[in-house]
Amino acid sequence: MKEQLPHQQKEKLRALARGALLIVLTTTVPYLTLINALFFAGIFISGAIAAYTYIINSQLRLTSSEAFLFSFFSGVAGSIASVFISYLLLTIFNYRAGIEGLMLLISWMQQMAPDQPEFTLQLREILEAPVELTLVDFLLSIVVTVFLYAPVAGLGGIFSVWRLKRQAAKEVV
């Protein structure tokens, strides 16, 4: 990217933090996690919003690759924060982020296949079983979530650039 002015640097940090916060919200808040059931839509939107607000507030032009990289870093920050917060929720409150979606799935299964209660009972037992996380599990969770979330957030950044270019082209015509 080009040389940045001080206000652009501050806006860059704000936009990165905004995208990371949105990722945390869509991966840990009950029922809001269901957004990500649709091809990580919450993470994609988080990356798009991060890039969009940075471009608009800083009045900069970003290429698609620059927007991808910017939103990618927002995804990295958001995924690390998400794993850390999920770990705290699990160890302190014994709450598993995203469990509501799985519980809804189990209740739908019970309604659709009432003749197989043993299967839904097994799933419920698996979901309600106590979880112990080691440091290796924690670090592996960070690696996996960064591997999954960061590129999706980066694609959201590319979408923002594409959308802004399309919008600008319509205004010229």
Side-chain angles (χ1 to χ4, degrees):
M1 285 195 233
K2 298 123 187 126
E3 189 73 27
Q4 293 182 337
L5 300 172
H7 81 281
Q8 291 172 333
Q9 188 66 24
K10 287 181 187 176
E11 188 52 44
K12 183 178 190 176
L13 292 175
R14 279 191 203 118
L16 282 170
R18 191 175 295 121
L21 176 65
L22 288 172
I23 288 173
V24 168
L25 291 175
T26 61
T27 57
T28 57
V29 173
Y31 295 104
L32 200 52
T33 58
L34 293 174
I35 292 172
N36 289 317
L38 183 64
F39 306 112
F40 295 115
I43 296 163
F44 181 86
I45 292 168
S46 300
I49 289 173
Y52 179 85
T53 57
Y54 177 56
I55 292 167
I56 295 299
N57 294 340
S58 298
Q59 293 298 304
L60 287 175
R61 287 186 183 183
L62 295 181
T63 65
S64 292
S65 60
E66 289 171 336
F68 177 85
L69 193 61
F70 177 79
S71 293
F72 182 91
F73 286 128
S74 178
V76 169
S79 62
I80 291 170
S82 175
V83 169
F84 184 72
I85 290 171
S86 295
Y87 176 77
L88 291 176
L89 289 171
L90 185 62
T91 56
I92 296 171
F93 301 108
N94 200 26
Y95 169 73
R96 296 182 200 175
I99 197 78
E100 295 83 16
L102 295 172
M103 295 306 256
L104 278 173
L105 211 58
I106 288 174
S107 68
W108 290 337
M109 270 182 41
Q110 287 173 334
Q111 292 172 3
M112 305 217 23
D115 56 332
Q116 296 180 348
E118 65 280 347
F119 185 64
T120 55
L121 183 64
Q122 288 174 347
L123 281 175
R124 188 174 298 277
E125 288 174 357
I126 289 170
L127 292 175
E128 293 173 352
V131 176
E132 293 181 24
L133 287 177
T134 64
L135 180 61
V136 172
D137 295 331
F138 178 74
L139 294 175
L140 188 61
S141 293
I142 289 176
V143 169
V144 169
T145 56
V146 166
F147 182 75
L148 292 173
Y149 295 0
V152 174
L155 292 174
I158 291 173
F159 175 78
S160 287
V161 168
W162 174 79
R163 182 75 180 120
L164 286 170
K165 285 182 180 180
R166 188 169 173 229
Q167 187 178 12
K170 282 185 179 179
E171 290 176 5
V172 170
V173 173

